[in-house]
Amino acid sequence: MAIDIVVHGGTLVTADGTIDAALAIDGEEIVGVGDRERLPEARETVDASGQLVLPGVVDPHVHVADPFSLDTYESASRAAAVGGTTTMVGFAFQAWGGEMGVFEGDTTLPEAVEEAKARGEGALIDFGLHGAVTREDPAVLDDLQAVVEAGVPSIKMFTAYEIGLSNGFMHRVFERLADLDAVAVLHTEDGSVCDDLTERFQAAGKGDATYYPQSRPDYAEAMAADDALRMAEATGTKYYGIHTSCRKSAEVVDRYRDDGSMVRAETCTHYTTLDDSVYEVLGNQPMIAPPIRKPDDVEAMFEHLRDGTLDVVSTDHCGYKLESKAVDDWWDSTFGANALQTSLPVFHDEAVNERGLSYPFLVRAMCTNPAKVFGMPRKGTLDPGTDADVVLFDPDETYTVAAEDNESKADFSIYEGREVTGRVTKTFVRGTLVADDGEIVADRGHGEFLEREIPDWSP
């Protein structure tokens, strides 16, 4: 009996190595890897000659249809599919009162999860959620079990902005997450330091974007990370540090890794490919928190990705219009930039082409590790019996990044004009071709909500 698809002629890349083999897909699953002649007959064959066959990218840090992005799940997932991302994890935010909030009322965390799932109905790729605690309401402690049982076993907390939590309340959340064996996901910048420096820059009229990184210094990120990691260690809570941007913060994470069972962390594509000179060139467009840092911090990101202190490369994708960046003073700009469509080719060009890192390294950082860290055993791999999330990637095609190609609602790119070598040619999500040669070829709504497992971080 014939199966659906055989992908042949390419080089398969896994977290452990590469192999010249064919890949068999039937329905939504990978059903075989091996010599083409030994695989079942297929109704369709895909010639991947000269290309790499990768697991779909798993991006565990995206902002979609939330207070920090104009993108809908449909628009963001279109961008993701064209760029080789087949799974993304967004956020379900409690409502809060304040200038940053866009959700009215006093939405509880379980309600926020259900509302976010509903907003994802148009997604083209699969998606999960992190819960996000945004106010110090003790009732959330009672809500956490229901959220975890709903397939959302990771909870984000901020140490800055109007949604920043005090260490005292964060400690209470950590204790509850430890009881549930769930993951604390932390945005770590010392809010008091950043707020005070921002006020001083405002008073001095230093609104040019080149001043921005000085308002959120590397030590403020490291201070907050140290506080949070101390509490996580004391309470026995799994800890995931998002968007690590600097050497000082990565060194803090490294001190707490111990046996590798309780601490994980990421950096983002922009922290591995750009330095703070970008503010002179692009002004407010790369206004991201934490800021893009010094060249030495870029080097530190690769050092700590290689040594395992940092596990994952994500995007922190935020879909904004250029008009929200076109302001006189950096503090009036929106914070964040889009990257779902460009992350894989841009990081590939830097990590593999420029730095000589391996393709298995790339797959570990962008596919396999994020899936393992966040409880998605069917993702990030080419193993038979797992979801047929497969990307064909031409490592030799060179092109120039241009915002006019964006599928995201964002109308700019912080990589505008960057020439990269390596391009996604086909993206399959659970056996369905969703993007082909830069074009979307599947219907909206193909993506499904992922009820994630509580991850096992045992060494």
mmCIF file of all heavy atoms in Angstrom, residues 6 37 39 44 81 94 105 108 127 131 134 213 224 247 266 275 290 301 312 341 416 429 439 450:
data_model
loop_
_atom_site.group_PDB
_atom_site.id
_atom_site.type_symbol
_atom_site.label_atom_id
_atom_site.label_comp_id
_atom_site.label_asym_id
_atom_site.label_seq_id
_atom_site.Cartn_x
_atom_site.Cartn_y
_atom_site.Cartn_z
ATOM 1 N N VAL A 6 7.489 10.651 -0.315
ATOM 2 C CA VAL A 6 8.892 10.355 -0.046
ATOM 3 C C VAL A 6 9.730 11.547 -0.512
ATOM 4 O O VAL A 6 9.613 11.981 -1.667
ATOM 5 C CB VAL A 6 9.375 9.069 -0.741
ATOM 6 C CG1 VAL A 6 10.908 8.976 -0.701
ATOM 7 C CG2 VAL A 6 8.778 7.840 -0.071
ATOM 8 N N GLU A 37 15.114 3.044 -2.063
ATOM 9 C CA GLU A 37 14.652 1.777 -2.608
ATOM 10 C C GLU A 37 13.996 0.890 -1.546
ATOM 11 O O GLU A 37 13.207 0.002 -1.875
ATOM 12 C CB GLU A 37 15.829 1.024 -3.236
ATOM 13 C CG GLU A 37 16.426 1.703 -4.462
ATOM 14 C CD GLU A 37 17.299 2.903 -4.119
ATOM 15 O OE1 GLU A 37 17.650 3.063 -2.904
ATOM 16 O OE2 GLU A 37 17.601 3.700 -5.014
ATOM 17 N N LEU A 39 12.213 2.091 1.078
ATOM 18 C CA LEU A 39 11.024 2.717 1.646
ATOM 19 C C LEU A 39 9.795 2.343 0.814
ATOM 20 O O LEU A 39 9.923 1.974 -0.358
ATOM 21 C CB LEU A 39 11.196 4.242 1.671
ATOM 22 C CG LEU A 39 12.274 4.774 2.619
ATOM 23 C CD1 LEU A 39 12.422 6.281 2.474
ATOM 24 C CD2 LEU A 39 11.967 4.401 4.072
ATOM 25 N N GLU A 44 3.460 10.526 -3.953
ATOM 26 C CA GLU A 44 4.147 11.751 -4.377
ATOM 27 C C GLU A 44 5.601 11.659 -3.957
ATOM 28 O O GLU A 44 5.917 11.193 -2.863
ATOM 29 C CB GLU A 44 3.501 12.988 -3.734
ATOM 30 C CG GLU A 44 4.187 14.291 -4.071
ATOM 31 C CD GLU A 44 3.583 15.479 -3.324
ATOM 32 O OE1 GLU A 44 2.566 15.286 -2.620
ATOM 33 O OE2 GLU A 44 4.147 16.590 -3.431
ATOM 34 N N ALA A 81 5.922 30.155 8.249
ATOM 35 C CA ALA A 81 5.971 29.059 7.286
ATOM 36 C C ALA A 81 6.956 29.343 6.162
ATOM 37 O O ALA A 81 7.749 28.478 5.774
ATOM 38 C CB ALA A 81 4.575 28.803 6.726
ATOM 39 N N GLN A 94 -2.732 37.660 31.220
ATOM 40 C CA GLN A 94 -3.789 38.222 32.054
ATOM 41 C C GLN A 94 -4.048 39.661 31.615
ATOM 42 O O GLN A 94 -3.113 40.364 31.219
ATOM 43 C CB GLN A 94 -3.345 38.282 33.514
ATOM 44 C CG GLN A 94 -3.301 36.995 34.282
ATOM 45 C CD GLN A 94 -2.824 37.269 35.695
ATOM 46 O OE1 GLN A 94 -1.739 37.804 35.902
ATOM 47 N NE2 GLN A 94 -3.618 36.894 36.680
ATOM 48 N N GLY A 105 -10.788 44.593 31.113
ATOM 49 C CA GLY A 105 -11.351 43.748 32.149
ATOM 50 C C GLY A 105 -10.299 43.149 33.052
ATOM 51 O O GLY A 105 -9.166 43.617 33.116
ATOM 52 N N THR A 108 -8.819 36.352 33.928
ATOM 53 C CA THR A 108 -7.985 35.429 34.691
ATOM 54 C C THR A 108 -7.047 34.692 33.741
ATOM 55 O O THR A 108 -7.233 34.707 32.518
ATOM 56 C CB THR A 108 -8.842 34.408 35.433
ATOM 57 O OG1 THR A 108 -9.504 33.571 34.472
ATOM 58 C CG2 THR A 108 -9.861 35.096 36.328
ATOM 59 N N PHE A 127 0.797 25.761 17.179
ATOM 60 C CA PHE A 127 1.190 26.765 18.160
ATOM 61 C C PHE A 127 0.849 26.308 19.569
ATOM 62 O O PHE A 127 -0.115 25.575 19.794
ATOM 63 C CB PHE A 127 0.527 28.120 17.874
ATOM 64 C CG PHE A 127 -0.963 28.151 18.129
ATOM 65 C CD1 PHE A 127 -1.476 28.663 19.315
ATOM 66 C CD2 PHE A 127 -1.855 27.661 17.188
ATOM 67 C CE1 PHE A 127 -2.843 28.694 19.551
ATOM 68 C CE2 PHE A 127 -3.228 27.689 17.407
ATOM 69 C CZ PHE A 127 -3.721 28.204 18.594
ATOM 70 N N GLY A 131 1.528 30.864 29.696
ATOM 71 C CA GLY A 131 0.735 31.793 30.469
ATOM 72 C C GLY A 131 1.613 32.964 30.892
ATOM 73 O O GLY A 131 2.827 32.823 31.025
ATOM 74 N N THR A 134 0.643 39.022 35.019
ATOM 75 C CA THR A 134 0.899 40.451 34.819
ATOM 76 C C THR A 134 0.473 41.325 35.998
ATOM 77 O O THR A 134 0.633 42.542 35.941
ATOM 78 C CB THR A 134 0.158 40.945 33.568
ATOM 79 O OG1 THR A 134 -1.258 40.721 33.754
ATOM 80 C CG2 THR A 134 0.625 40.199 32.329
ATOM 81 N N PRO A 213 20.557 51.954 24.346
ATOM 82 C CA PRO A 213 21.165 50.837 25.078
ATOM 83 C C PRO A 213 21.700 51.213 26.451
ATOM 84 O O PRO A 213 21.725 50.374 27.363
ATOM 85 C CB PRO A 213 22.296 50.385 24.136
ATOM 86 C CG PRO A 213 21.859 50.820 22.779
ATOM 87 C CD PRO A 213 21.148 52.126 23.008
ATOM 88 N N ALA A 224 18.843 41.237 37.700
ATOM 89 C CA ALA A 224 17.507 40.641 37.807
ATOM 90 C C ALA A 224 17.562 39.132 37.573
ATOM 91 O O ALA A 224 16.838 38.367 38.218
ATOM 92 C CB ALA A 224 16.558 41.311 36.818
ATOM 93 N N ARG A 247 26.992 39.180 27.824
ATOM 94 C CA ARG A 247 27.920 38.295 28.513
ATOM 95 C C ARG A 247 27.612 38.225 30.005
ATOM 96 O O ARG A 247 27.607 37.149 30.601
ATOM 97 C CB ARG A 247 29.353 38.784 28.288
ATOM 98 C CG ARG A 247 30.409 37.877 28.916
ATOM 99 C CD ARG A 247 31.810 38.359 28.616
ATOM 100 N NE ARG A 247 32.139 38.293 27.208
ATOM 101 C CZ ARG A 247 32.542 37.202 26.569
ATOM 102 N NH1 ARG A 247 32.651 36.052 27.242
ATOM 103 N NH2 ARG A 247 32.831 37.234 25.282
ATOM 104 N N GLU A 266 17.730 30.987 26.603
ATOM 105 C CA GLU A 266 17.814 31.265 25.175
ATOM 106 C C GLU A 266 18.524 32.589 24.930
ATOM 107 O O GLU A 266 18.654 33.431 25.825
ATOM 108 C CB GLU A 266 16.413 31.356 24.563
ATOM 109 C CG GLU A 266 15.666 32.613 25.031
ATOM 110 C CD GLU A 266 14.298 32.826 24.402
ATOM 111 O OE1 GLU A 266 13.655 31.832 24.015
ATOM 112 O OE2 GLU A 266 13.863 33.998 24.320
ATOM 113 N N ASP A 275 25.022 44.249 16.413
ATOM 114 C CA ASP A 275 25.527 44.921 17.613
ATOM 115 C C ASP A 275 24.938 46.321 17.667
ATOM 116 O O ASP A 275 24.188 46.737 16.771
ATOM 117 C CB ASP A 275 27.054 44.947 17.656
ATOM 118 C CG ASP A 275 27.668 45.729 16.501
ATOM 119 O OD1 ASP A 275 27.308 46.905 16.303
ATOM 120 O OD2 ASP A 275 28.527 45.160 15.796
ATOM 121 N N PRO A 290 15.686 43.272 26.103
ATOM 122 C CA PRO A 290 16.873 44.100 26.310
ATOM 123 C C PRO A 290 17.425 44.612 24.979
ATOM 124 O O PRO A 290 17.121 44.065 23.920
ATOM 125 C CB PRO A 290 17.864 43.149 26.989
ATOM 126 C CG PRO A 290 17.030 42.033 27.536
ATOM 127 C CD PRO A 290 15.881 41.900 26.596
ATOM 128 N N MET A 301 27.357 35.317 23.105
ATOM 129 C CA MET A 301 26.206 34.481 22.790
ATOM 130 C C MET A 301 26.652 33.194 22.118
ATOM 131 O O MET A 301 26.153 32.103 22.437
ATOM 132 C CB MET A 301 25.220 35.244 21.898
ATOM 133 C CG MET A 301 24.582 36.481 22.534
ATOM 134 S SD MET A 301 23.684 36.146 24.077
ATOM 135 C CE MET A 301 24.926 36.578 25.316
ATOM 136 N N VAL A 312 18.841 27.638 23.270
ATOM 137 C CA VAL A 312 17.867 27.908 22.214
ATOM 138 C C VAL A 312 18.159 29.263 21.567
ATOM 139 O O VAL A 312 18.588 30.207 22.242
ATOM 140 C CB VAL A 312 16.440 27.927 22.811
ATOM 141 C CG1 VAL A 312 15.406 28.432 21.817
ATOM 142 C CG2 VAL A 312 16.056 26.535 23.320
ATOM 143 N N GLN A 341 10.120 35.351 9.710
ATOM 144 C CA GLN A 341 10.363 34.974 8.326
ATOM 145 C C GLN A 341 11.848 34.886 8.001
ATOM 146 O O GLN A 341 12.236 34.201 7.060
ATOM 147 C CB GLN A 341 9.680 35.990 7.399
ATOM 148 C CG GLN A 341 9.601 35.566 5.947
ATOM 149 C CD GLN A 341 8.583 36.383 5.176
ATOM 150 O OE1 GLN A 341 7.553 36.776 5.721
ATOM 151 N NE2 GLN A 341 8.856 36.655 3.920
ATOM 152 N N GLU A 416 16.986 44.472 6.755
ATOM 153 C CA GLU A 416 16.791 45.010 5.412
ATOM 154 C C GLU A 416 18.136 45.176 4.693
ATOM 155 O O GLU A 416 19.076 45.775 5.219
ATOM 156 C CB GLU A 416 16.084 46.363 5.479
ATOM 157 C CG GLU A 416 15.770 47.004 4.137
ATOM 158 C CD GLU A 416 14.603 46.341 3.421
ATOM 159 O OE1 GLU A 416 13.738 45.764 4.108
ATOM 160 O OE2 GLU A 416 14.543 46.410 2.179
ATOM 161 N N VAL A 429 4.009 21.058 7.336
ATOM 162 C CA VAL A 429 3.514 20.995 8.714
ATOM 163 C C VAL A 429 2.579 19.806 8.825
ATOM 164 O O VAL A 429 1.555 19.744 8.148
ATOM 165 C CB VAL A 429 2.770 22.281 9.116
ATOM 166 C CG1 VAL A 429 2.171 22.140 10.520
ATOM 167 C CG2 VAL A 429 3.707 23.477 9.061
ATOM 168 N N GLU A 439 5.982 31.025 -1.308
ATOM 169 C CA GLU A 439 4.549 31.269 -1.446
ATOM 170 C C GLU A 439 3.766 30.355 -0.509
ATOM 171 O O GLU A 439 4.109 29.180 -0.341
ATOM 172 C CB GLU A 439 4.099 31.015 -2.886
ATOM 173 C CG GLU A 439 4.781 31.883 -3.917
ATOM 174 C CD GLU A 439 4.399 33.352 -3.803
ATOM 175 O OE1 GLU A 439 3.256 33.627 -3.372
ATOM 176 O OE2 GLU A 439 5.233 34.206 -4.143
ATOM 177 N N LEU A 450 -1.267 23.162 20.452
ATOM 178 C CA LEU A 450 -0.528 22.067 21.076
ATOM 179 C C LEU A 450 -0.720 22.082 22.580
ATOM 180 O O LEU A 450 -0.358 23.057 23.250
ATOM 181 C CB LEU A 450 0.976 22.208 20.779
ATOM 182 C CG LEU A 450 1.429 21.996 19.336
ATOM 183 C CD1 LEU A 450 2.908 22.315 19.225
ATOM 184 C CD2 LEU A 450 1.156 20.569 18.897
#
